[in-house]
Amino acid sequence: MATERESKIFYGWWIVVAAFLNLFFAVGIIFYGFPVFYPSFVSALGFNRTQVTQGFFLGFLTIGLPTGLVTGILIDKIGARWVIFAGVLLTGGSLILMGFMHQFWEYQVLCILEVIGYVLAGPISNQVLVAQWFRERRGRAMGLAYLGLGLGGTVAPPVINMLIRDYGWRNSIIAVGVSIIVVLFPVAIFLTRSMPHELGLNPDGAPGPLVRHTAASNSVFGIIGEALRDRNFWLIVIGSSLVIGAMNAVIQHFILFLKSIGYDASSASRFLSLLLAASLGGRVIVGYIADRFRKKNIMAIFYFLLGAAIPLLFLAKQPVAAAVFAILFGFAMGADYMLIPLVTAECFGLTSLGKLLALIIVAYSIGQWAGPYIAGRIFDAHHSYDLAWQVMASAAVLGSVAIYAIVKRPDHAQA
């Protein structure tokens, strides 16, 4: 890497490729592909809808916060590279072990391990990684990296459905776990670098004296205390938790919902893939406009569109209506996670971004899995998703209002 300064391609774009692959496998396939296994868990293991969705919810509730805080500390101390490396092993290994489970307690334990791997290798590490390599083009870089999440989600449902059909759910979930380890270990070792100065570069490839990242001198508790006293912090937490909880409730139950109103598994998987394909367009557009307009306003608009699309599910018995919902909801999902680090950096700067994102992501991750759990409880009680969709649409709209209420103060200029 001795000639990095003379390279035509800024190495930060290779970091975007690494983040793309991490988000494709460790987040996109897990987050959007895992629900394809739910019908198999229900039929083969006897789990109900509440149980299949509460695994990750209880995992985040019990271990998510401490793991997130440790992740933020480790990122600021040793960089994102080795944090991602450890997360990959836990993420892939947990899925492999799920191929041998028979009892609900085994599922719950493995979900907790999966949560730890997700926190280490998922959004926190990759958002900080991209943010450290880019300043002026941060929105575009984050949007391209998050295409991995959307593309992984687009590919996962039909591929996993085909694997389950041809090889059974146990062999399929083992294959997914192995693929995560085989692909992402080399990416972490050979491609990922935590900071630009490790290769003698500045963010965005800018010329001039080398800028070295310095971790915050404040203690973790000092940073937490300062954040908890900041109105913007709570608006980000509340807004993202409500919207992402509603979004994940729809995603996690979408196949179960479509099957409950008469669609077969293949058709349901195709609609989910359409939804996730539409999210790719949303991510590209969000990434470009986020560098040109107030990030919190763009985030609020897309969150409102997501909530406004949910009532279309009441018409989903008609294939055209289901397709229209998938396209609109999927496009609005373009702002789902990727704008959170941009708005956080815009409000608080980069100095303690790892620790702040750890707090925010763990908080919205509880909402992220509480949404599906609540929807599952509503279905089990009423044998219908109607009330669940009303609750989730309202939550998403309220979340968009919270994000719009964020105020950028001059003393927190973006780093």
Side-chain angles (χ1 to χ4, degrees):
M1 300 297 178
T3 61
E4 281 298 329
R5 288 185 180 276
E6 298 154 5
S7 174
K8 293 182 179 179
I9 300 177
F10 171 51
Y11 195 83
W13 296 114
W14 291 110
I15 297 299
V16 171
V17 171
F20 175 98
L21 292 171
N22 292 332
L23 294 169
F24 181 99
F25 283 95
V27 182
I29 287 180
I30 300 302
F31 189 68
Y32 299 117
F34 197 74
V36 181
F37 289 105
Y38 287 169
S40 298
F41 295 162
V42 171
S43 60
L45 301 177
F47 298 165
N48 59 37
R49 282 169 169 79
T50 301
Q51 288 176 320
V52 296
T53 54
Q54 82 177 35
F56 285 114
F57 172 49
L58 293 182
F60 275 105
L61 202 59
T62 57
I63 200 68
L65 180 58
T67 303
L69 291 175
V70 170
T71 299
I73 294 169
L74 289 175
I75 290 172
D76 286 340
K77 294 293 184 182
I78 65 174
R81 181 188 186 190
W82 298 110
V83 175
I84 293 172
F85 186 89
V88 166
L89 178 61
L90 282 171
T91 301
S94 300
L95 289 177
I96 292 171
L97 292 175
M98 281 186 184
F100 302 94
M101 68 182 178
H102 292 87
Q103 304 296 326
F104 178 69
W105 71 264
E106 296 173 311
Y107 175 66
Q108 187 63 74
V109 169
L110 292 173
C111 280
I112 291 174
L113 293 178
E114 188 73 37
V115 165
I116 297 173
Y118 175 91
V119 173
L120 292 173
I124 297 174
S125 300
N126 288 283
Q127 288 174 0
V128 175
L129 181 66
V130 174
Q132 295 293 357
W133 277 85
F134 292 90
R135 296 292 186 273
E136 297 299 325
R137 293 174 287 181
R138 189 180 291 161
R140 185 181 308 179
M142 199 73 74
L144 293 173
Y146 263 82
L147 283 175
L149 191 155
L151 188 59
T154 302
V155 170
V159 170
I160 292 175
N161 188 65
M162 179 188 67
L163 289 173
I164 292 173
R165 183 191 63 207
D166 295 341
Y167 303 103
W169 73 268
R170 293 188 183 275
N171 290 329
S172 300
I173 203 167
I174 291 171
V176 173
V178 169
S179 68
I180 288 172
I181 293 175
V182 168
V183 174
L184 295 187
F185 263 37
V187 169
I189 294 172
F190 299 112
L191 190 60
T192 305
R193 297 294 182 271
S194 299
M195 303 286 181
H197 67 72
E198 295 177 21
L199 298 180
L201 297 168
N202 283 324
D204 292 304
L210 196 63
V211 177
R212 291 182 176 272
H213 168 78
T214 55
S217 58
N218 294 351
S219 69
V220 175
F221 295 106
I223 293 168
I224 293 173
E226 183 179 352
L228 294 179
R229 292 189 295 270
D230 195 294
R231 176 176 176 269
N232 282 344
F233 173 81
W234 286 108
L235 289 172
I236 294 172
V237 166
I238 293 170
S240 60
S241 297
L242 287 171
V243 176
I244 291 175
M247 181 193 74
N248 199 30
V250 173
I251 295 298
Q252 297 292 310
H253 285 273
F254 194 49
I255 288 177
L256 291 170
F257 164 69
L258 291 179
K259 291 185 71 175
S260 74
I261 60 174
Y263 292 94
D264 59 30
S266 296
S267 298
S269 294
R270 283 196 295 271
F271 280 119
L272 181 57
S273 292
L274 175 63
L275 185 155
L276 297 169
S279 77
L280 300 180
R283 293 179 202 282
V284 172
I285 291 174
V286 168
Y288 276 89
I289 64 178
D291 288 333
R292 293 165 173 80
F293 301 97
R294 287 287 302 278
K295 295 173 177 58
K296 67 98 174 177
N297 291 341
I298 301 303
M299 188 174 175
I301 290 170
F302 273 74
Y303 277 7
F304 178 83
L305 291 175
L306 186 145
I310 293 176
L312 289 172
L313 289 171
F314 294 112
L315 306 175
K317 286 186 178 181
Q318 301 298 322
V320 173
V324 171
F325 164 79
I327 293 170
L328 293 178
F329 186 89
F331 181 80
M333 277 174 52
D336 51 6
Y337 304 97
M338 58 161 287
L339 284 182
I340 294 172
L342 303 184
V343 173
T344 304
E346 190 175 61
C347 291
F348 301 100
L350 286 175
T351 307
S352 302
L353 185 62
K355 298 182 183 71
L356 287 173
L357 283 179
L359 289 172
I360 292 168
I361 290 174
V362 169
Y364 78 57
S365 293
I366 294 174
Q368 171 179 302
W369 295 104
Y373 176 75
I374 291 169
R377 291 296 299 267
I378 291 173
F379 180 89
D380 288 339
H382 299 279
H383 304 289
S384 169
Y385 282 103
D386 287 356
L387 178 59
W389 300 150
Q390 293 172 21
V391 170
M392 298 309 157
S394 300
V397 171
L398 287 174
S400 71
V401 173
I403 297 299
Y404 185 75
I406 292 171
V407 177
K408 181 181 177 181
R409 291 187 290 275
D411 58 328
H412 282 125
Q414 184 175 346

